[in-house]
Amino acid sequence: MDPRLYKLIGIVAIIAPTLHVLTDIMEVTGNGFSRPQLIINYTAFLLIPFMIVGLYSVQHPRISWFGLAGAISYGISFIYFTHTTLLSLEEVIPDYESLWNRLGTAYTFHGVLMIVGGIVFGLSSLKTGMLWPEGLVLFIAGLAVNLLIGLESLPDIFQTVGSTIRNIGLIGIGLKISFGQDPGTGESI
């Protein structure tokens, strides 16, 4: 793979999760959704499917088919979440709880798809040894936090904790790809 493409994938793996964390902070400090927060969130969510497939591609052909299935599942969930952001903008939905009440089962299904797909991708990626392992552990840990919080029906702020942990992992992976070494050849980028 062209080193410039590696760098681009790494940069997107920095930008998308950073924007997602920013919008979570905006949501918490603003006590719900706002138009600027949702527009930034839309941008982040729009990039995430490309990011996760890009992270799969930098590991190809070493990563398993399970890794591809996990990446695709994670990406599909964010295509749906992108739709929910547009819906929130269009219908002026005030907060996460109202959004979840509006979408219910469909939202929950895609949340589960994100968690399962992300964990499968993360574990498959750990097996290749090509992405920063500490970042992958954070990514998986954040998904596990999201799962536990979903099962316990804790307040929304705790979901933000899980999202932040997984996003920090992705940002770290992006930094390693962008400013470290080519995972395939070990050469400096």
Side-chain angles (χ1 to χ4, degrees), residues 6-145:
Y6 274 117
K7 207 174 259 280
L8 178 61
I9 291 166
I11 289 168
V12 172
I14 296 166
I15 292 171
T18 299
L19 290 174
H20 188 195
V21 170
L22 173 64
T23 63
D24 281 348
I25 292 168
M26 291 171 74
E27 183 181 343
V28 169
T29 60
N31 293 316
F33 297 159
S34 68
R35 187 167 184 75
Q37 177 260 339
L38 288 170
I39 291 169
I40 296 167
N41 193 67
Y42 176 77
T43 304
F45 284 5
L46 194 62
L47 293 172
I48 288 174
F50 298 102
M51 174 208 68
I52 201 74
V53 171
L55 292 175
Y56 165 82
S57 72
V58 301
Q59 301 174 84
H60 184 73
R62 292 187 198 170
I63 192 167
S64 69
W65 283 99
F66 288 114
L68 176 60
I72 289 171
S73 297
Y74 192 84
I76 288 170
S77 69
F78 274 92
I79 291 169
Y80 176 77
F81 295 145
T82 302
H83 154 75
T84 68
T85 303
L86 289 176
L87 183 70
S88 296
L89 279 164
E90 181 182 328
E91 295 185 6
V92 193
I93 295 174
D95 54 30
Y96 179 80
E97 184 177 339
S98 299
L99 177 63
W100 191 86
N101 287 333
R102 166 78 167 75
L103 299 171
T105 306
Y107 196 92
T108 300
F109 170 79
H110 287 88
V112 170
L113 187 65
M114 176 199 73
I115 290 168
V116 171
I119 289 173
V120 168
F121 173 77
L123 292 173
S124 298
S125 296
L126 276 171
K127 192 172 179 182
T128 71
M130 294 182 72
L131 297 179
W132 186 47
E134 291 86 347
L136 289 168
V137 168
L138 285 169
F139 176 68
I140 294 166
L143 290 163
V145 168

Side-chain angles (χ1 to χ4, degrees), residues 155-170:
D156 297 338
I157 186 70
F158 292 104
Q159 285 291 358
T160 302
V161 172
S163 295
T164 301
I165 294 168
R166 78 170 187 264
N167 283 323
I168 289 169
L170 290 168

